[in-house]
């Protein structure tokens, strides 16, 4: 994720850094000139793929993108942005507005949905407002970081989805030994969810995000698949696998072809209100 600290914020006399994305060369040049004349530092991208490459390498105060592009559209780009940056405002432009794209723009956290053509001052004012909001968002992010690392209730859907995907992609399991005191030996291991996510930093945050997105089954399946890979390669004793109560309604849990089924004789499923993966 692109994090900007207070010491890295732009000077007061600078408007901000804008990523401008449009696959129409003439509009790209026009919008770039308008924003540069207004005092913004503009980085141009001719398509969604190029935009993602620039986002991975740089931090921006505002992202302004067309919705309909040949390779990666504006909505898909917005989702990619939220995997890397929770706060940067995204303005989406379209010459052919429709209800579906408007709903998706709002759902995935776009700040503005702008219909082409628009007046030059409308564009400049929208970007200026977005840049100011980004500065406030950075202050808010720092305040939340000082308050704790829980999942804030106002994080938008796109941010949740992007970070849940990143958490699942980097998911791994820690195995905590269960010891018999009388036998002085390890009799089982408990599988504990872990992730390399820089945002969803603990199992509780991963599960809260999944619950808010209706994707608890995705987490449960990922956990069981990860456990299955380890069990298949190691002659370990019984494995305790924690289940969210909703996992009990997942047909995959009972599927003989599911990854964990091949090790069923060594698996102990522990059901509760939530995974106790701490």
């Amino acid at each position: 994720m692109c994090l900007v600290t207070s010491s890295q914020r732009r000077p007061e006399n600078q408007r901000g850094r804008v990523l401008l994305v449009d696959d129409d060369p003439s509009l790209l040049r026009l919008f770039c000139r308008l924003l540069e004349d207004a005092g913004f530092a503009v980085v141009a991208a001719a398509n969604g793929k190029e935009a993602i490459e620039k986002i991975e390498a740089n931090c921006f105060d505002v992202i302004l993108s067309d919705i309909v592009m040949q390779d990666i559209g504006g909505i898909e780009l917005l989702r990619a942005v939220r995997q890397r940056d929770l706060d940067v405002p995204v303005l989406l432009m379209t010459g052919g507005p429709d209800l579906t794209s408007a709903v998706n723009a709002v759902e995935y956290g776009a700040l503005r949905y702008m219909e082409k053509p628009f007046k030059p001052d409308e564009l400049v004012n929208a970007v200026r407002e977005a840049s100011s909001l980004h500065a406030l968002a950075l202050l808010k992010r720092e305040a939340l970081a000082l308050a704790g690392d829980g999942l804030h209730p106002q994080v938008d859907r796109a941010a949740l989805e992007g970070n849940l995907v990143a958490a699942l992609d980097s998911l791994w399991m820690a195995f905590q030994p269960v010891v018999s005191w009388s036998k002085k030996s390890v009799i089982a291991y408990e599988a504990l969810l872990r992730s390399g996510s820089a945002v969803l930093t603990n199992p509780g945050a991963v599960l809260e995000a999944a619950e808010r997105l209706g994707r608890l089954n995705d987490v449960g399946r990922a956990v069981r698949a990860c456990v299955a890979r380890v069990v298949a390669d190691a002659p370990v004793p019984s494995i305790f696998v924690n289940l969210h109560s909703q996992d009990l309604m997942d047909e995959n849990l009972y599927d003989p072809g599911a990854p964990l089924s091949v090790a069923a004789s060594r698996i102990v499923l522990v059901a509760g209100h939530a995974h106790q993966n701490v």
Side-chain angles (χ1 to χ4, degrees), residues 110-130:
L111 177 65
R112 291 281 298 273
Y113 180 86
M114 304 176 65
E115 182 180 352
K116 300 175 184 175
F118 36 70
K119 296 179 180 179
D121 59 340
E122 291 182 52
L123 176 66
V124 172
N125 289 337
V127 173
R128 183 179 292 123
E129 177 187 11

Side-chain angles (χ1 to χ4, degrees), residues 63 65 67 74-75 78-79 81-82 86-93 101-114 130 133 156-159:
I63 296 175
S65 174
I67 289 181
I75 300 296
L78 173 56
R79 296 183 68 178
V81 168
R82 289 295 179 247
L86 299 179
D87 301 309
V88 62
V90 178
L91 310 179
L92 294 179
M93 308 175 290
S101 63
V103 170
N104 286 336
V106 173
E107 182 178 15
Y108 290 106
L111 177 65
R112 291 281 298 273
Y113 180 86
M114 304 176 65
L133 289 174
D156 62 49
R157 182 181 178 86

Side-chain angles (χ1 to χ4, degrees), residues 189-256:
Y189 287 88
E190 181 182 10
L192 305 176
L193 185 159
R194 297 291 183 265
S195 169
S197 170
V199 177
L200 304 180
T201 56
N202 59 72
V206 174
L207 292 168
E208 183 181 346
E211 188 165 14
R212 288 168 58 182
L213 292 168
R215 295 188 59 182
L216 281 169
N217 284 349
D218 291 342
V219 175
R221 292 181 184 188
V223 165
R224 297 194 296 274
C226 191
V227 172
R229 288 193 294 270
V230 174
V231 172
D233 297 332
V236 295
S238 298
I239 302 294
F240 287 36
V241 180
N242 296 292
L243 301 179
H244 190 283
S245 56
Q246 186 167 315
D247 288 327
L248 299 174
M249 297 181 285
D250 183 7
E251 294 181 357
N252 177 266
L253 181 65
Y254 311 100
D255 185 354

Side-chain angles (χ1 to χ4, degrees), residues 129-150:
E129 177 187 11
S131 182
S132 298
L133 289 174
H134 185 233
L136 292 175
L138 293 177
L139 290 173
K140 180 179 177 181
R141 179 69 57 192
E142 290 184 8
L144 289 174
L146 291 174
D149 61 358

